[in-house]
Amino acid sequence: MDNLQFIIPGKPEYLTMIRLAIGSIATTAGFDLDACEDIKTAVSEACKNVSCHGFDGFSDKYELQCNVEKGRIEIIIKDDCDEHTLQKLAKPCQNCPKEGELGIFVIQSLMNEVTFGKEEDGHKSIRMVKFL
């Protein structure tokens, strides 16, 4: 199994970099173009969910783990900051539960397995698996 790990600043502008990295990893793992797009979209939604939904500010950082083995990719995204100190200028996510619910629906419809959790330290996590 190949394991890759990223620590990402909680700023929305880094989502493009994550999409590119995950797309490259999925392609290398043998997923076709449509599956790669599905994985990239699910990961984007998960990163947005973990980094900003339900908190007073953006996460200062979050972690993305990617485990690749034959016929399968597992991606775990977890909030990795001790305190949410990056302010949201417009605070769009505080009052958008419908948008957050839509993101969850998108993740669940694109991936084969999805688990939402809360770590013992209070950090949120999303685990997603896609099979070839």
Side-chain angles (χ1 to χ4, degrees):
M1 179 185 322
D2 293 333
N3 299 7
L4 297 100
Q5 198 168 12
F6 302 89
I7 304 291
I8 303 135
K11 297 177 181 177
E13 55 266 28
Y14 287 102
L15 281 174
T16 300
M17 185 269 309
I18 290 302
R19 284 181 58 84
L20 291 170
I22 289 298
S24 178
I25 293 166
T27 299
T28 302
F31 288 90
D32 65 23
L33 183 60
D34 288 337
C36 287
E37 288 301 319
D38 289 349
I39 293 166
K40 288 177 1 183
T41 299
V43 167
S44 293
E45 290 299 327
C47 287
K48 285 190 277 185
N49 187 290
V50 165
S51 69
C52 68
H53 285 288
F55 293 104
D56 292 335
F58 291 114
S59 294
D60 288 335
K61 63 181 178 171
Y62 57 100
E63 179 182 317
L64 186 147
Q65 288 179 298
C66 188
N67 304 311
V68 181
E69 56 187 309
K70 187 172 176 131
R72 167 185 198 275
I73 188 169
E74 175 189 49
I75 300 160
I76 301 166
I77 300 167
K78 73 176 190 176
D79 174 4
D80 193 36
C81 71
D82 294 325
E83 190 173 344
H84 296 267
T85 57
L86 297 173
Q87 271 189 329
K88 294 180 186 178
L89 299 176
K91 297 194 186 264
C93 296
Q94 283 185 333
N95 299 314
C96 61
K98 289 184 175 139
E99 180 183 317
E101 290 169 10
L102 179 60
I104 290 168
F105 173 76
V106 168
I107 294 165
Q108 290 173 326
S109 67
L110 297 175
M111 302 298 281
N112 297 112
E113 295 177 11
V114 179
T115 308
F116 296 88
K118 196 161 201 168
E119 308 293 317
E120 287 182 16
D121 59 9
H123 294 237
K124 290 191 321 182
S125 66
I126 299 174
R127 178 185 165 274
M128 303 169 286
V129 177
K130 184 80 167 177
F131 299 105
L132 273 173

